[in-house]
Amino acid sequence: MTPPALRSARLAELTPFELYALCRLRVDVFVVEQQCPYPELDGRDCEPATVHLWLEEDGQVLATLRVLDDGDARAIGRVATAASARGRGLAARLVEAGIALCAGAPVTLGAQAHLEGWYERFGFRRSGPGYVEDGIPHVPMRREPA
């Protein structure tokens, strides 16, 4: 079986169907599954430097994340995997690709607290006190360049 294709694009490069599929997956995971009604469309997707990464198989988006330019650092966020595709290492593959895009820059993220150990596998370390966002405990994390 061929592994899912890794895709990347800035917003202006996405087709309307790709954009819909990425947003749909994020809403399915964060708003519906995790029951967090929040403004998913926060404006950061439209920033010229934002890069969307996703894994696609048979025309279906299985997992996605975005990389933001925060000036001196980059930020990985909106990491989401379709429920039907979990357990295949797709999010790990995307996080590794996201880190590679950040070549030489520190990378930050706001991890759901139960995933702190998972993100540590990629060199992220807690960088401050925990906080609650949309009813879910989170921790700030940072990865220094290798």
Side-chain angles (χ1 to χ4, degrees):
M1 178 181 234
T2 305
L6 175 64
R7 309 273 314 276
S8 71
R10 288 179 166 73
L11 182 70
E13 301 164 339
L14 292 168
T15 69
F17 300 104
E18 290 167 337
L19 177 60
Y20 177 85
L22 296 177
C23 290
R24 175 68 188 260
L25 176 57
R26 289 170 19 181
V27 167
D28 285 350
V29 171
F30 300 124
V31 178
V32 177
E33 180 184 332
Q34 295 180 0
Q35 300 178 351
C36 294
Y38 72 101
E40 168 52 29
L41 301 177
D42 62 359
R44 304 274 340 243
D45 293 313
C46 299
E47 295 173 2
T50 297
V51 178
H52 300 273
L53 296 173
W54 71 99
L55 290 166
E56 189 175 287
E57 184 176 74
D58 298 325
Q60 299 296 311
V61 173
L62 301 179
T64 185
L65 63 70
R66 68 183 183 185
V67 178
L68 307 173
D69 184 343
D70 282 344
D72 292 339
R74 303 296 176 267
I76 289 178
R78 297 296 204 269
V79 181
T81 302
S84 63
R86 293 186 188 143
R88 295 173 55 185
L90 302 180
R93 189 171 159 206
L94 281 178
V95 168
E96 289 168 349
I99 290 168
L101 274 181
C102 300
V107 184
T108 64
L109 56 83
Q112 291 186 6
H114 73 278
L115 294 172
E116 181 176 1
W118 187 80
Y119 282 109
E120 286 175 344
R121 296 175 17 192
F122 304 99
F124 287 93
R125 298 295 174 255
R126 183 189 288 240
S127 58
Y131 58 95
V132 176
E133 184 176 315
D134 298 313
I136 298 175
H138 283 70
V139 294
M141 300 189 80
R142 183 178 176 97
R143 181 184 189 278
E144 297 300 331

